[in-house]
PDB file of all heavy atoms in Angstrom:
ATOM      1  N   GLU A 246      48.614 141.831  43.298  1.00 68.00           N
ATOM      2  CA  GLU A 246      47.752 142.731  42.536  1.00 68.00           C
ATOM      3  C   GLU A 246      48.571 143.441  41.464  1.00 68.00           C
ATOM      4  O   GLU A 246      49.780 143.639  41.599  1.00 68.00           O
ATOM      5  CB  GLU A 246      47.081 143.753  43.444  1.00 68.00           C
ATOM      6  CG  GLU A 246      48.045 144.712  44.121  1.00 68.00           C
ATOM      7  CD  GLU A 246      47.336 145.820  44.870  1.00 68.00           C
ATOM      8  OE1 GLU A 246      46.234 146.194  44.453  1.00 68.00           O
ATOM      9  OE2 GLU A 246      47.896 146.295  45.868  1.00 68.00           O
ATOM     10  N   VAL A 247      47.883 143.812  40.410  1.00 66.00           N
ATOM     11  CA  VAL A 247      48.502 144.610  39.360  1.00 66.00           C
ATOM     12  C   VAL A 247      48.430 146.068  39.779  1.00 66.00           C
ATOM     13  O   VAL A 247      47.366 146.590  40.092  1.00 66.00           O
ATOM     14  CB  VAL A 247      47.783 144.415  38.006  1.00 66.00           C
ATOM     15  CG1 VAL A 247      48.362 145.351  36.958  1.00 66.00           C
ATOM     16  CG2 VAL A 247      47.888 142.970  37.549  1.00 66.00           C
ATOM     17  N   VAL A 265      53.897 147.090  36.549  1.00 84.00           N
ATOM     18  CA  VAL A 265      54.316 146.985  37.950  1.00 84.00           C
ATOM     19  C   VAL A 265      53.263 146.167  38.679  1.00 84.00           C
ATOM     20  O   VAL A 265      52.076 146.496  38.614  1.00 84.00           O
ATOM     21  CB  VAL A 265      54.455 148.377  38.618  1.00 84.00           C
ATOM     22  CG1 VAL A 265      54.935 148.216  40.060  1.00 84.00           C
ATOM     23  CG2 VAL A 265      55.418 149.258  37.834  1.00 84.00           C
ATOM     24  N   TYR A 266      53.691 145.113  39.345  1.00 82.00           N
ATOM     25  CA  TYR A 266      52.727 144.289  40.082  1.00 82.00           C
ATOM     26  C   TYR A 266      53.370 143.739  41.346  1.00 82.00           C
ATOM     27  O   TYR A 266      54.593 143.641  41.464  1.00 82.00           O
ATOM     28  CB  TYR A 266      52.165 143.165  39.200  1.00 82.00           C
ATOM     29  CG  TYR A 266      53.181 142.435  38.368  1.00 82.00           C
ATOM     30  CD1 TYR A 266      53.780 141.266  38.801  1.00 82.00           C
ATOM     31  CD2 TYR A 266      53.535 142.926  37.095  1.00 82.00           C
ATOM     32  CE1 TYR A 266      54.706 140.589  38.020  1.00 82.00           C
ATOM     33  CE2 TYR A 266      54.469 142.263  36.314  1.00 82.00           C
ATOM     34  CZ  TYR A 266      55.045 141.097  36.782  1.00 82.00           C
ATOM     35  OH  TYR A 266      55.969 140.444  36.020  1.00 82.00           O
ATOM     36  N   ARG A 267      52.505 143.398  42.314  1.00 80.00           N
ATOM     37  CA  ARG A 267      52.961 142.903  43.602  1.00 80.00           C
ATOM     38  C   ARG A 267      52.664 141.409  43.693  1.00 80.00           C
ATOM     39  O   ARG A 267      51.544 140.969  43.444  1.00 80.00           O
ATOM     40  CB  ARG A 267      52.226 143.645  44.729  1.00 80.00           C
ATOM     41  CG  ARG A 267      52.789 143.402  46.127  1.00 80.00           C
ATOM     42  CD  ARG A 267      51.846 143.940  47.186  1.00 80.00           C
ATOM     43  NE  ARG A 267      51.475 145.321  46.970  1.00 80.00           N
ATOM     44  CZ  ARG A 267      52.189 146.365  47.389  1.00 80.00           C
ATOM     45  NH1 ARG A 267      53.315 146.166  48.051  1.00 80.00           N
ATOM     46  NH2 ARG A 267      51.774 147.586  47.160  1.00 80.00           N
ATOM     47  N   ILE A 268      53.695 140.632  44.013  1.00 75.00           N
ATOM     48  CA  ILE A 268      53.531 139.197  44.221  1.00 75.00           C
ATOM     49  C   ILE A 268      54.251 138.820  45.514  1.00 75.00           C
ATOM     50  O   ILE A 268      55.467 139.064  45.646  1.00 75.00           O
ATOM     51  CB  ILE A 268      54.102 138.373  43.045  1.00 75.00           C
ATOM     52  CG1 ILE A 268      53.389 138.748  41.734  1.00 75.00           C
ATOM     53  CG2 ILE A 268      53.975 136.886  43.311  1.00 75.00           C
ATOM     54  CD1 ILE A 268      53.927 138.046  40.522  1.00 75.00           C
ATOM     55  N   LYS A 271      56.416 141.312  47.189  1.00 82.00           N
ATOM     56  CA  LYS A 271      57.516 141.828  46.382  1.00 82.00           C
ATOM     57  C   LYS A 271      56.930 142.665  45.245  1.00 82.00           C
ATOM     58  O   LYS A 271      55.869 142.317  44.690  1.00 82.00           O
ATOM     59  CB  LYS A 271      58.360 140.693  45.778  1.00 82.00           C
ATOM     60  CG  LYS A 271      58.886 139.682  46.785  1.00 82.00           C
ATOM     61  CD  LYS A 271      59.909 140.289  47.721  1.00 82.00           C
ATOM     62  CE  LYS A 271      60.463 139.210  48.662  1.00 82.00           C
ATOM     63  NZ  LYS A 271      61.321 139.798  49.713  1.00 82.00           N
ATOM     64  N   ILE A 272      57.589 143.736  44.908  1.00 83.00           N
ATOM     65  CA  ILE A 272      57.138 144.565  43.785  1.00 83.00           C
ATOM     66  C   ILE A 272      58.017 144.254  42.578  1.00 83.00           C
ATOM     67  O   ILE A 272      59.246 144.381  42.647  1.00 83.00           O
ATOM     68  CB  ILE A 272      57.214 146.060  44.130  1.00 83.00           C
ATOM     69  CG1 ILE A 272      56.253 146.386  45.285  1.00 83.00           C
ATOM     70  CG2 ILE A 272      56.876 146.915  42.910  1.00 83.00           C
ATOM     71  CD1 ILE A 272      56.399 147.798  45.814  1.00 83.00           C
ATOM     72  N   THR A 273      57.379 143.819  41.516  1.00 85.00           N
ATOM     73  CA  THR A 273      58.109 143.489  40.292  1.00 85.00           C
ATOM     74  C   THR A 273      57.826 144.555  39.238  1.00 85.00           C
ATOM     75  O   THR A 273      56.681 144.919  38.995  1.00 85.00           O
ATOM     76  CB  THR A 273      57.696 142.105  39.752  1.00 85.00           C
ATOM     77  OG1 THR A 273      57.982 141.121  40.734  1.00 85.00           O
ATOM     78  CG2 THR A 273      58.463 141.777  38.473  1.00 85.00           C
TER      79      THR A 273
END
Side-chain angles (χ1 to χ4, degrees):
E246 64 173 330
V247 175
V265 182
Y266 44 94
R267 191 191 307 274
I268 300 177
K271 306 293 183 188
I272 296 172
T273 300

